[in-house]
Amino acid sequence: MARSVYDEVYARSMKDPEGFWSRAAEDIHWEKRCDRVFDDSRKPFVRWFAGGVLNTCYNALDLHIERGRGKQRALVYDSPVTSTVKVFTYDELRDAVARVAGALRRQGIAKGDRVIIYMPMVPEAVMAMLACARIGAIHSVVFGGFAPNELAKRIDDAKPRLILSASCGIEVNRVVPYKPLLDGAIDLAAHKPERCVILQRPHDTAALVRGRDLDWGDFVSGAPPAECVPVAATDPLYVLYTSGTTGVPKGVVRDNGGHAVALKWSMEGIYGVGTGEVYWAASDIGWVVGHSYIVYAPLLKGCTTILYEGKPVGTPDPGAFWRLIAEHGVNVLFTAPTAFRAIKKEDPQGTHMAKHDLRRFRTLFLAGERCDPDTLLWARERLGVPVIDHWWQTETGWPIAANCVGLGMLPVKPGSPTRPVPGYDVRVLSEDNREMDAGQIGSIAIKLPLPPGCLPTLWNNDAGYATSYLTKHPGHYLTGDAGYKDDDGYLYIMSRVDDIINVAGHRLSTGAMEEVLSAHPDVAECAVIGVADEIKGEVPVGFVVTKAGVTRTESEIVRQLVERVRAEIGPVAAFKTAIVVARLPKTRSGKILRGTMKRIADSQAYTMPATIDDPTILAEIAEALRAKGYATQR
Ligand code: COA
Ligand code: AMP
């Protein structure tokens, strides 16, 4: 392959990382420049831009106003579920954020305090995040589709002084009252926040707890605007919890300095987007994509960002994305493949696209789950723009592998997120840490150090950070994904090496679901696997073996199990299928053969594990799956 700009930039980032990132850091406004671009004096806890002082909110808002962009659109809120479109210029957004920051101050919130944000996709949620950044408070956004139990775990770990929430969220055809979920979570949690601030939405107003809860209107009314508080580059900006291999979520920490540098660089380098352009990430602020590419990166770059409270289909039709692109002049869209599978299913010919003016639309980026070539090719053919699959995770905060449009596009190979992004030294390793040959599947690791923006540690859990990510392959960060590189150095991300599954682009732990199932009084043992789903990519399916002498019927047990997962993890788990079986397939040492069960469910060929205890159980599992519509091809 001919050498491209990408090759040259990538090589520079590998040869001289400090020089590379120090140059990128010039694009950020620093109150004080760093003493050391890269500080590895406390290995393995390395830091970027040590000694630097900045404010992320200043860089995302005030800086652009000072540069004459105050009247430019900063945030466009488009909510088909409430029939609302609201536009905030940089001036307006900065003023609103400064007021929320002042209101937080008035409640005694100061630098380093944690604030949980449990809100739907409304502008106040974005303002809340930026307001925390403005005063150096650490936000932790919790996705609205999580149940009280999950919110309680995050409250106990982050120990927020204050929680910002809303009376309700609005799904396609139902109002989801958030306040009872919040109250339930606070009841369950050992840590009690001093104050909750509730944004009352007209669709369902919530009763407030006297002495603890405050109405959002009263909270901000008369609050003096707060100025930006300078923080250390290495101070945390936020903590975002993500699924680990157990029911205990991991608190991914993001710092201020490295994050601002990497994200601003990525807008041009990866997405090919310039200041003043319109960028839309159709995700949720509860996920990392929302943090990085709805809120921080587009604003750091001085773009217009879109906040969409709706779905790809059903709000009201599969033309929703095209309406937004045309109406708001979107240049670049980023979403998950599942959204396109949903659109394709309802509008296979793409007839809705023809109804909208998509001339300003330039590139589509997909991430969050493996992108099947069919979906990529369908989108490319119908839209007539490049479709870029890129790969990353909550921990890194920005892409690990992508076709860097800003560095000149490389040929697209459907099924591959292309090559490592500058800053990431990606290796495919064997169990004994040897690099695999091209075409050979192994564990995908990143040679240390990670570039700026990636997690420096887990919240209050340095030891957990080291054991989860740094011990499996010494000198490398374990991504948890398995895959291979081809002869051109293109990466192929095939599966997880742990029990994490990806449901509609949402990362979930089957281990957490198994914990819920096994807590049912009738369940002796269980296994949850992710099986292929036409729209969501994967959905969880649970297998349970009941205890001897249970009196409840199978259908009653299954109904209760489905209800329990929804109540304890949340509707986002999309756990709808549980199957009662007589036995689970295991190795002679007692390990459940989840991988083999998954292959059977997905009608894939499998080799009989040599260590299987009793091969006849696999036929029973296949039969049980067939009764539910899986494992249909023998
Ligand atoms: N608050 C409360 N409940 C929520 C919620 C929220 N913020 N978000 C989702 N839910 C609920 C849904 O209502 C649904 O409940 P149900 O079981 O009663 O139907 C459940 O959680 C699952 O939601 P979801 O995964 O969104 O599935 P869906 O069937 O409603 O929609 C898609 C399917 C493909 C349209 C949808 O997943 C989608 O738009 N995905 C876009 C991709 C994305 O945002 N990825 C994030 C990472 S980039
Ligand atoms: P999350 O932390 O929720 O962003 O999920 C990260 C995980 O999603 C990764 O570790 C992968 O397993 C999966 N993932 C994200 N993007 C891709 C992609 N482009 N291709 C394959 N898998 C992906």
Side-chain angles (χ1 to χ4, degrees), residues 329-408:
V330 173
N331 302 115
V332 168
L333 169 66
F334 171 0
T335 190
T338 187
F340 266 77
R341 287 195 297 267
I343 294 170
K344 180 176 151 204
K345 185 164 185 223
E346 290 203 9
D347 182 19
Q349 302 308 320
T351 49
H352 282 267
M353 289 173 194
K355 298 182 194 159
H356 301 277
D357 177 0
L358 306 181
R359 275 174 301 179
R360 278 171 292 186
F361 183 45
R362 223 174 35 228
T363 329
L364 169 66
F365 284 85
L366 299 173
E369 55 175 326
R370 184 172 156 71
C371 181
D372 52 293
D374 278 358
T375 301
L376 185 141
L377 294 172
W378 181 84
R380 186 165 76 184
E381 197 176 300
R382 304 284 151 189
L383 287 165
V385 298
V387 181
I388 311 288
D389 174 17
H390 61 325
W391 167 61
W392 52 298
Q393 46 186 208
T394 306
E395 288 85 343
T396 63
W398 63 292
I400 310 167
N403 202 334
C404 294
V405 170
L407 306 179

Side-chain angles (χ1 to χ4, degrees), residues 137-341:
I138 302 165
H139 63 69
S140 188
V141 182
V142 179
F143 178 62
F146 280 123
N149 183 45
E150 288 293 318
L151 177 56
K153 289 181 195 169
R154 287 152 175 82
I155 293 174
D156 277 337
D157 198 65
K159 300 198 171 31
R161 292 190 58 194
L162 185 141
I163 299 184
L164 295 164
S165 189
S167 55
C168 63
I170 300 156
E171 283 294 287
V172 180
N173 46 18
R174 70 192 160 105
V175 170
V176 182
Y178 274 32
K179 186 61 179 11
L181 304 176
L182 173 65
D183 289 342
I186 294 174
D187 281 348
L188 286 170
H191 171 85
K192 307 291 176 196
E194 294 153 36
R195 176 120 11 248
C196 296
V197 178
I198 310 297
L199 177 77
Q200 297 280 19
R201 305 186 81 188
H203 316 82
D204 181 53
T205 45
L208 302 185
V209 175
R210 193 189 286 265
R212 188 197 73 187
D213 297 349
L214 201 57
D215 178 273
W216 186 283
D218 298 333
F219 166 67
V220 289
S221 169
E227 285 308 309
C228 297
V229 172
V231 300
T234 51
D235 279 342
L237 168 68
Y238 69 76
V239 178
L240 176 59
Y241 289 88
T242 190
S243 299
T245 48
T246 64
V248 184
K250 295 169 167 174
V252 169
V253 174
R254 195 81 59 211
D255 67 10
N256 275 273
H259 174 254
V261 172
L263 261 60
K264 193 164 184 183
W265 182 89
S266 74
M267 285 303 284
E268 200 144 341
I270 299 176
Y271 297 98
V273 173
T275 304
E277 294 204 289
V278 185
Y279 183 95
W280 175 24
S283 176
D284 189 289
I285 50 149
W287 307 116
V288 70
V289 175
H291 280 63
S292 295
Y293 292 106
I294 296 175
V295 182
Y296 288 110
L299 295 177
L300 285 164
K301 189 67 190 171
C303 295
T304 300
T305 186
I306 313 284
L307 182 75
Y308 177 57
E309 190 181 26
K311 301 261 176 178
V313 294
T315 56
D317 57 39
F321 276 18
W322 326 130
R323 174 188 68 77
L324 260 88
I325 289 175
E327 250 175 51
H328 307 310
V330 173
N331 302 115
V332 168
L333 169 66
F334 171 0
T335 190
T338 187
F340 266 77
R341 287 195 297 267

